[in-house]
């Protein structure tokens, strides 16, 4: 194969992998560290843990700054309450 064709195919494969990772990260299927070259920014909001009760209902613990909240959600409503529970020790 010609060198130019090989180089083009390599760039095409790398671009396809990059786009696939971006798509999966956007959907929440995977989590990746932010590797931006700029100054690192601390995110103010983070999902600590999520549990789906059914395909459309779930609960999650969300950390906003230094506070934690329990968020329950369903198609018809959502509630947000302060969460003060401590994580259980692993056995």
């Amino acid at each position: 194969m010609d060198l130019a064709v090989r180089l083009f195919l390599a760039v095409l494969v790398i671009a396809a992998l990059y786009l696939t990772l971006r798509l999966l990260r956007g959907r929440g299927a995977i989590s990746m560290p932010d590797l931006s070259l700029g100054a690192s920014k601390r995110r103010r909001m983070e999902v600590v843990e999520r549990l789906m009760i059914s395909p459309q209902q779930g609960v999650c613990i969300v950390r906003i700054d230094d506070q934690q909240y329990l968020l329950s959600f369903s198609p018809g409503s959502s509630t947000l309450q302060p969460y003060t529970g401590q994580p259980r020790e692993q056995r």
Side-chain angles (χ1 to χ4, degrees), residues 71-87:
L71 172 67
S72 62
F73 53 91
S74 66
S77 68
S78 63
T79 59
L80 182 69
Q81 299 176 349
Y83 178 73
T84 57
Q86 299 296 321

Side-chain angles (χ1 to χ4, degrees), residues 38-57:
S40 64
K41 296 180 182 178
R42 181 175 173 256
R43 293 186 179 227
R44 292 186 58 215
M45 186 168 68
E46 172 187 8
V47 176
V48 177
E49 191 168 344
R50 178 174 58 182
L51 174 67
M52 294 303 293
I53 298 170
S54 72
Q56 296 181 347
Q57 297 175 333

